Amino acid sequence: LAISGQVTPSSASNHKPTLAQIEAAKKAELAKKKIAEEALKKLARAKGNLKLLSNIADQAQKKYTAAKADLLVATRELNSANESYLSAVAEVSATHREIGKLAAHAYINGGGITDLESILSSSGPQEVIDNLSTLENLGTGNKTSLKRFKAAEDVAQRAKVIAEEAKEKQALVTVRVAAAKKEDELIFGLGWRI
Protein backbone atom coordinates (compact mmCIF):
# COMPACT_ATOMS: atom_id res chain seq x y z
CA LEU A 1 0.00 0.00 0.00
CA ALA A 2 1.62 3.12 -1.07
CA ILE A 3 0.46 6.57 -0.29
CA SER A 4 1.32 9.15 -2.69
CA GLY A 5 1.01 12.80 -2.03
CA GLN A 6 2.37 15.95 -3.38
CA VAL A 7 3.72 18.88 -1.47
CA THR A 8 1.85 21.94 -2.43
CA PRO A 9 3.60 25.24 -2.80
CA SER A 10 1.03 26.87 -0.53
CA SER A 11 3.03 25.79 2.58
CA ALA A 12 6.11 27.74 1.40
CA SER A 13 6.02 31.43 2.29
CA ASN A 14 6.47 33.92 -0.44
CA HIS A 15 4.86 36.58 1.69
CA LYS A 16 6.68 39.90 2.06
CA PRO A 17 6.39 41.64 5.46
CA THR A 18 4.50 44.83 5.55
CA LEU A 19 6.05 48.10 6.57
CA ALA A 20 4.17 47.99 9.88
CA GLN A 21 5.54 44.51 10.60
CA ILE A 22 9.08 45.70 9.82
CA GLU A 23 8.65 48.68 12.15
CA ALA A 24 7.24 46.44 14.90
CA ALA A 25 10.19 44.05 14.49
CA LYS A 26 12.65 46.96 14.70
CA LYS A 27 10.97 48.24 17.87
CA ALA A 28 11.11 44.75 19.39
CA GLU A 29 14.79 44.49 18.53
CA LEU A 30 15.48 47.92 20.01
CA ALA A 31 13.62 46.95 23.18
CA LYS A 32 15.66 43.73 23.41
CA LYS A 33 18.86 45.69 22.83
CA LYS A 34 17.91 48.20 25.55
CA ILE A 35 17.19 45.37 28.01
CA ALA A 36 20.53 43.75 27.16
CA GLU A 37 22.37 47.07 27.66
CA GLU A 38 20.68 47.58 31.05
CA ALA A 39 21.63 44.05 32.06
CA LEU A 40 25.25 44.74 31.04
CA LYS A 41 25.26 47.94 33.08
CA LYS A 42 23.88 46.09 36.11
CA LEU A 43 26.49 43.39 35.65
CA ALA A 44 29.29 45.97 35.46
CA ARG A 45 27.98 47.68 38.64
CA ALA A 46 27.75 44.32 40.38
CA LYS A 47 31.32 43.50 39.36
CA GLY A 48 32.48 46.88 40.68
CA ASN A 49 30.57 46.37 43.93
CA LEU A 50 31.96 42.88 44.28
CA LYS A 51 35.50 44.17 43.79
CA LEU A 52 34.88 46.95 46.32
CA LEU A 53 33.40 44.52 48.84
CA SER A 54 36.29 42.15 48.26
CA ASN A 55 38.75 44.95 49.02
CA ILE A 56 36.80 45.94 52.14
CA ALA A 57 36.73 42.32 53.28
CA ASP A 58 40.47 41.96 52.68
CA GLN A 59 41.16 45.11 54.69
CA ALA A 60 38.91 43.93 57.51
CA GLN A 61 40.65 40.55 57.53
CA LYS A 62 44.08 42.23 57.64
CA LYS A 63 42.94 44.53 60.44
CA TYR A 64 41.63 41.55 62.41
CA THR A 65 44.82 39.56 61.86
CA ALA A 66 46.97 42.53 62.94
CA ALA A 67 44.81 43.07 66.01
CA LYS A 68 45.15 39.40 66.96
CA ALA A 69 48.94 39.67 66.62
CA ASP A 70 48.91 42.82 68.79
CA LEU A 71 46.83 40.97 71.37
CA LEU A 72 49.34 38.14 71.44
CA VAL A 73 52.18 40.62 72.01
CA ALA A 74 50.20 42.45 74.70
CA THR A 75 49.40 39.19 76.45
CA ARG A 76 53.06 38.19 76.42
CA GLU A 77 54.03 41.59 77.81
CA LEU A 78 51.40 41.26 80.53
CA ASN A 79 52.61 37.79 81.48
CA SER A 80 56.22 38.98 81.59
CA ALA A 81 55.28 42.02 83.68
CA ASN A 82 53.28 39.85 86.07
CA GLU A 83 56.23 37.46 86.46
CA SER A 84 58.55 40.41 87.19
CA TYR A 85 56.08 41.80 89.70
CA LEU A 86 55.66 38.46 91.47
CA SER A 87 59.43 38.02 91.59
CA ALA A 88 59.87 41.51 93.05
CA VAL A 89 57.13 40.89 95.62
CA ALA A 90 58.87 37.66 96.63
CA GLU A 91 62.14 39.59 97.04
CA VAL A 92 60.39 42.20 99.20
CA SER A 93 58.87 39.44 101.33
CA ALA A 94 62.22 37.70 101.77
CA THR A 95 63.93 40.96 102.74
CA HIS A 96 61.04 41.80 105.04
CA ARG A 97 61.47 38.44 106.78
CA GLU A 98 65.20 39.10 107.12
CA ILE A 99 64.54 42.48 108.72
CA GLY A 100 62.01 40.82 111.01
CA LYS A 101 64.64 38.31 112.10
CA LEU A 102 67.11 41.13 112.79
CA ALA A 103 64.50 42.98 114.83
CA ALA A 104 63.62 39.84 116.79
CA HIS A 105 67.31 39.13 117.42
CA ALA A 106 67.88 42.70 118.62
CA TYR A 107 64.87 42.44 120.91
CA ILE A 108 66.02 39.11 122.37
CA ASN A 109 69.56 40.36 122.92
CA GLY A 110 68.63 43.58 124.63
CA GLY A 111 67.69 45.67 121.67
CA GLY A 112 69.11 49.09 122.30
CA ILE A 113 72.79 48.44 122.93
CA THR A 114 74.54 51.72 122.41
CA ASP A 115 78.22 52.47 122.16
CA LEU A 116 78.21 54.01 125.64
CA GLU A 117 76.42 51.04 127.24
CA SER A 118 78.88 48.74 125.51
CA ILE A 119 81.86 50.60 126.94
CA LEU A 120 80.38 50.87 130.44
CA SER A 121 79.37 47.21 130.67
CA SER A 122 82.70 45.91 129.38
CA SER A 123 85.04 44.13 131.76
CA GLY A 124 88.15 45.09 129.86
CA PRO A 125 89.60 46.77 126.80
CA GLN A 126 89.37 43.64 124.62
CA GLU A 127 85.68 43.25 125.41
CA VAL A 128 85.12 46.93 124.50
CA ILE A 129 86.81 46.34 121.14
CA ASP A 130 84.78 43.13 120.58
CA ASN A 131 81.50 44.86 121.48
CA LEU A 132 82.24 47.82 119.21
CA SER A 133 83.18 45.45 116.37
CA THR A 134 79.97 43.49 116.88
CA LEU A 135 77.92 46.71 116.90
CA GLU A 136 79.62 47.85 113.70
CA ASN A 137 78.95 44.52 111.98
CA LEU A 138 75.32 44.55 113.10
CA GLY A 139 74.92 48.14 111.93
CA THR A 140 76.45 47.32 108.54
CA GLY A 141 74.27 44.22 108.18
CA ASN A 142 71.14 46.15 109.18
CA LYS A 143 71.99 48.97 106.79
CA THR A 144 72.57 46.45 103.96
CA SER A 145 69.29 44.68 104.72
CA LEU A 146 67.40 47.97 104.78
CA LYS A 147 68.97 49.07 101.49
CA ARG A 148 68.04 45.74 99.89
CA PHE A 149 64.52 46.05 101.25
CA LYS A 150 64.16 49.57 99.88
CA ALA A 151 65.59 48.52 96.50
CA ALA A 152 63.30 45.49 96.36
CA GLU A 153 60.30 47.67 97.23
CA ASP A 154 61.24 50.11 94.45
CA VAL A 155 61.62 47.27 91.94
CA ALA A 156 58.28 45.80 93.04
CA GLN A 157 56.57 49.17 92.70
CA ARG A 158 57.96 49.72 89.19
CA ALA A 159 57.02 46.15 88.23
CA LYS A 160 53.51 46.76 89.51
CA VAL A 161 53.19 49.92 87.40
CA ILE A 162 54.50 48.08 84.33
CA ALA A 163 52.09 45.19 84.95
CA GLU A 164 49.16 47.62 85.28
CA GLU A 165 50.15 49.36 82.04
CA ALA A 166 50.47 46.00 80.27
CA LYS A 167 47.05 45.01 81.60
CA GLU A 168 45.51 48.25 80.30
CA LYS A 169 47.23 47.79 76.93
CA GLN A 170 45.92 44.23 76.71
CA ALA A 171 42.40 45.45 77.50
CA LEU A 172 42.60 48.08 74.74
CA VAL A 173 43.95 45.56 72.24
CA THR A 174 41.23 43.10 73.24
CA VAL A 175 38.63 45.76 72.42
CA ARG A 176 40.33 46.37 69.04
CA VAL A 177 40.33 42.64 68.30
CA ALA A 178 36.66 42.35 69.18
CA ALA A 179 35.80 45.33 66.94
CA ALA A 180 37.88 43.98 64.05
CA LYS A 181 36.32 40.54 64.46
CA LYS A 182 32.83 42.02 64.50
CA GLU A 183 33.59 44.03 61.35
CA ASP A 184 35.07 40.96 59.70
CA GLU A 185 32.05 38.82 60.62
CA LEU A 186 29.67 41.53 59.44
CA ILE A 187 31.37 41.81 56.06
CA PHE A 188 31.60 38.07 55.53
CA GLY A 189 28.13 37.60 57.01
CA LEU A 190 26.63 39.80 54.27
CA GLY A 191 27.26 37.04 51.77
CA TRP A 192 28.48 39.65 49.33
CA ARG A 193 25.01 41.14 49.03
CA ILE A 194 24.85 44.68 47.79
Side-chain angles (χ1 to χ4, degrees):
L1 204 102
I3 299 179
S4 67
Q6 276 187 331
V7 177
T8 61
S10 65
S11 63
S13 175
N14 286 340
H15 174 314
K16 284 190 173 182
T18 64
L19 201 50
Q21 288 175 330
I22 292 174
E23 285 300 317
K26 282 183 181 179
K27 284 182 182 178
E29 284 299 315
L30 283 176
K32 288 179 186 178
K33 185 177 180 183
K34 195 178 232 184
I35 290 171
E37 287 174 356
E38 287 297 318
L40 282 174
K41 286 179 185 177
K42 283 183 182 180
L43 181 61
R45 280 195 309 266
K47 282 182 181 178
N49 288 342
L50 182 61
K51 189 172 185 177
L52 177 67
L53 286 174
S54 179
N55 288 338
I56 290 171
D58 287 344
Q59 289 172 356
Q61 183 66 36
K62 287 176 185 175
K63 192 187 300 184
Y64 175 62
T65 303
K68 277 179 36 179
D70 289 346
L71 179 60
L72 183 62
V73 168
T75 301
R76 285 182 182 156
E77 288 175 359
L78 176 62
N79 291 340
S80 175
N82 280 336
E83 287 176 20
S84 297
Y85 174 69
L86 292 175
S87 174
V89 166
E91 181 68 27
V92 168
S93 294
T95 308
H96 196 268
R97 281 191 302 276
E98 187 177 323
I99 290 173
K101 286 179 186 177
L102 289 173
H105 184 65
Y107 177 76
I108 291 170
N109 291 328
I113 299 177
T114 63
D115 293 341
L116 185 59
E117 287 176 4
S118 173
I119 292 171
L120 293 176
S121 66
S122 299
S123 60
Q126 185 60 43
E127 192 175 339
V128 170
I129 292 172
D130 290 344
N131 285 342
L132 288 175
S133 176
T134 302
L135 284 174
E136 185 178 338
N137 288 339
L138 283 173
T140 303
N142 288 347
K143 187 184 290 185
T144 302
S145 293
L146 288 173
K147 283 182 181 177
R148 282 196 327 213
F149 177 71
K150 182 64 177 154
E153 268 190 333
D154 290 344
V155 168
Q157 192 61 30
R158 284 191 305 270
K160 182 178 181 181
V161 168
I162 290 170
E164 289 296 323
E165 288 172 354
K167 187 176 182 180
E168 289 173 11
K169 181 179 177 182
Q170 184 191 29
L172 290 174
V173 172
T174 301
V175 168
R176 277 189 23 227
V177 167
K181 182 178 181 183
K182 191 172 188 173
E183 181 182 350
D184 193 49
E185 288 174 349
L186 178 66
I187 289 171
F188 284 107
L190 288 176
W192 303 107
R193 284 179 284 163
I194 299 170

